[in-house]
Amino acid sequence: TASPAWHATRAGDDPTASYLYGSTLASIGRFEAALPHLQKAVTLEPRYGIGWLSLGWTLHSLLREEAARFAMHRAKALEGQPGPTFVAGVGGYLAECLRSLGELDLARTEAVQGLASIERSDHSYRDTIRAFCLGALGRVALAQGEMESARAAFAQAVAQMRKRTLTLAGGHVFVQAMAGLARATGDRTILGEAMTVFRTREGYSFNAFFGCADDTTAFELALTAQALGAYDDAERFLAQARAAGSRRPFAPVAGV
């Protein structure tokens, strides 16, 4: 029997099939190829909350931030609605988009709202999204130069993931939070643990999820390695991020 993803390429009239196929392409860094399938999914079903989130993150990954903001706002408006397209915690993803646009105060507000949204939900991927929202909050605080707030957010995410090692994509959110914590503290020991976990893939799930894949995780490691003066590691992780599809501009982190 052919898979739903295969049917999406043949018929193009099933929003779930189009979403699944597009999200699968995005999860392996093929963002341009994913885009038309995700656009088709939300065109066929405008109430497809998770489809709007997937589309928004894909546009963000392509550096199309204004379009990403629009899609994520559509996803956020659909939060809490029951059914297979249920979404929560969208604010954490919107915060990453706004951070890229330099709208840091608004990004912080969205990250806090996303965290509150996912904490009061019973979403299947609650732990993954909660840790991602904490990471987004920490990265905004870093960008604002508020190191104490950044350390607190990243430390919460790290503590959560140490207790919930079976979380979907938990390895990605754990490593991203560890990278952020190392950047906020200047502690190379924390960076070393993050690099080891990412290299060995032991003890955590490294399945892909929105914002939790090699393109994003390797990029966060590259930023931290550069900030802490580990330039060879930074170059290696940046190459890994680029190979996984990352297009994010690479620049030193101010204030570290």
Side-chain angles (χ1 to χ4, degrees):
T1 302
S3 69
W6 182 86
H7 281 303
T9 67
R10 300 290 295 178
D13 57 357
D14 182 342
T16 298
S18 294
Y19 159 75
L20 289 172
Y21 190 62
S23 293
T24 299
L25 291 170
S27 74
I28 57 174
R30 295 185 59 194
F31 299 113
E32 288 283 5
L35 194 58
H37 300 285
L38 296 172
Q39 289 170 326
K40 183 172 291 184
V42 297
T43 299
L44 291 168
E45 177 47 85
R47 297 170 297 174
Y48 209 139
I50 201 167
W52 281 110
L53 177 57
S54 185
L55 174 60
W57 188 257
T58 297
L59 288 164
H60 169 70
S61 300
L62 291 168
L63 311 183
R64 302 179 191 179
E65 303 295 359
E66 289 295 348
R69 185 208 300 246
F70 173 82
M72 290 179 189
H73 273 298
R74 291 294 297 268
K76 187 178 178 183
L78 292 164
E79 282 193 344
Q81 295 192 13
T85 69
F86 174 48
V87 285
V90 176
Y93 293 90
L94 184 53
E96 288 292 275
C97 173
L98 292 167
R99 181 170 67 91
S100 295
L101 288 166
E103 299 182 29
L104 298 181
D105 289 340
L106 185 55
R108 188 166 190 158
T109 297
E110 289 291 349
V112 170
Q113 289 180 359
L115 187 59
S117 168
I118 196 63
E119 285 184 337
R120 63 176 176 261
S121 82
D122 59 353
H123 198 283
S124 301
Y125 304 130
R126 182 178 182 273
D127 289 339
T128 307
I129 298 171
R130 182 180 187 275
F132 184 86
C133 287
L134 284 167
L137 182 59
R139 287 185 287 272
V140 172
L142 273 180
Q144 293 178 313
E146 297 184 11
M147 296 303 168
E148 185 175 348
S149 295
R151 288 193 292 270
F154 290 130
Q156 284 187 60
V158 169
Q160 173 188 315
M161 298 319 303
R162 288 197 189 279
K163 295 177 181 178
R164 298 181 177 273
T165 56
L166 299 180
T167 299
L168 175 73
H172 285 293
V173 286
F174 176 73
V175 171
Q176 289 175 25
M178 288 286 280
L181 187 60
R183 208 147 75 234
T185 61
D187 190 334
R188 284 199 179 200
T189 302
I190 297 173
L191 173 60
E193 182 182 353
M195 292 193 298
T196 298
V197 171
F198 190 59
R199 175 177 55 81
T200 63
R201 311 282 169 127
E202 293 179 355
Y204 293 92
S205 161
F206 277 89
N207 292 335
F209 190 71
F210 308 125
C212 308
D214 281 6
D215 63 307
T216 302
T217 306
F219 186 80
E220 289 300 314
L221 286 170
L223 281 178
T224 300
Q226 179 178 264
L228 272 58
Y231 301 115
D232 289 344
D233 288 325
E235 184 176 351
R236 175 166 56 88
F237 284 118
L238 182 61
Q240 191 171 350
R242 297 297 188 227
S246 174
R247 302 186 181 195
R248 306 234 67 82
F250 189 70
V253 179
V256 179

